Amino acid sequence: MNGTLNKHLSETDRTATERINRIVKAMAEQDNTNEQLKETNQLSWVGLMNNYKHFAEEIVYNEIIFS
């Protein structure tokens, strides 16, 4: 009612996006998914990155969005 909803949603979106990016990066580093794999087997790299993003989104949904 006091005009803070958009500010809150924007901040939540920014926080969630940053957290997703950090988690994806950490998962890729842990599994040694790097540019070399991207160059040699693009389909495998895309599949792994999509999986990392999906898992990261589920984590963030539970930590930030639905809490």
Side-chain angles (χ1 to χ4, degrees):
M1 293 299 191
N2 59 5
T4 61
L5 179 61
N6 285 336
K7 181 180 176 185
H8 171 72
L9 293 176
S10 176
E11 180 64 25
T12 301
D13 180 56
R14 186 186 60 77
T15 302
T17 301
E18 289 173 359
R19 179 84 169 113
I20 288 170
N21 290 338
R22 284 195 309 268
I23 293 170
V24 168
K25 183 178 178 183
M27 292 175 93
E29 288 175 356
Q30 183 179 1
D31 285 347
N32 202 21
T33 304
N34 53 29
E35 292 297 315
Q36 183 180 2
L37 178 62
K38 184 178 179 182
E39 292 173 6
T40 58
N41 192 345
Q42 292 176 353
L43 191 57
S44 177
W45 182 85
V46 168
L48 287 170
M49 295 305 286
N50 283 338
N51 285 336
Y52 299 152
K53 186 174 184 212
H54 174 74
F55 289 133
E57 287 173 346
E58 289 297 319
I59 291 168
V60 170
Y61 290 157
N62 289 318
E63 287 180 352
I64 296 174
I65 308 299
F66 299 129
S67 65

